[in-house]
Amino acid sequence: MILSISGVVLLGIIVFLYFRKDGLKASHALVCALFGFYLAGTAIAPSIKAGGASLASLLGGIKF
């Protein structure tokens, strides 16, 4: 649960920065959000979630 909330916050910040700096239009952000919403209801959603969790654990294991 915490991972998904962190992911949503991170992606939200990225979309906001694109909107402010690179000229992302609000309609593009809306289409991206709707795409993610509908993608979450498909059969591929568990694979995407597992890939995200794997990437998070990989990044979490990096020691500086």
Side-chain angles (χ1 to χ4, degrees):
M1 181 69 170
I2 293 173
L3 178 64
S4 64
I5 291 172
S6 300
V8 167
V9 170
L10 177 65
L11 291 173
I13 290 171
I14 291 170
V15 168
F16 177 75
L17 290 175
Y18 278 152
F19 181 73
R20 296 284 290 170
K21 301 291 181 191
D22 292 335
L24 179 72
K25 295 182 179 170
S27 61
H28 296 149
L30 180 64
V31 168
C32 290
L34 288 173
F35 176 70
F37 177 76
Y38 287 115
L39 186 63
T42 64
I44 199 169
S47 299
I48 294 171
K49 187 173 183 178
S54 175
L55 180 63
S57 67
L58 176 73
L59 293 175
I62 296 176
K63 304 262 191 259
F64 291 105

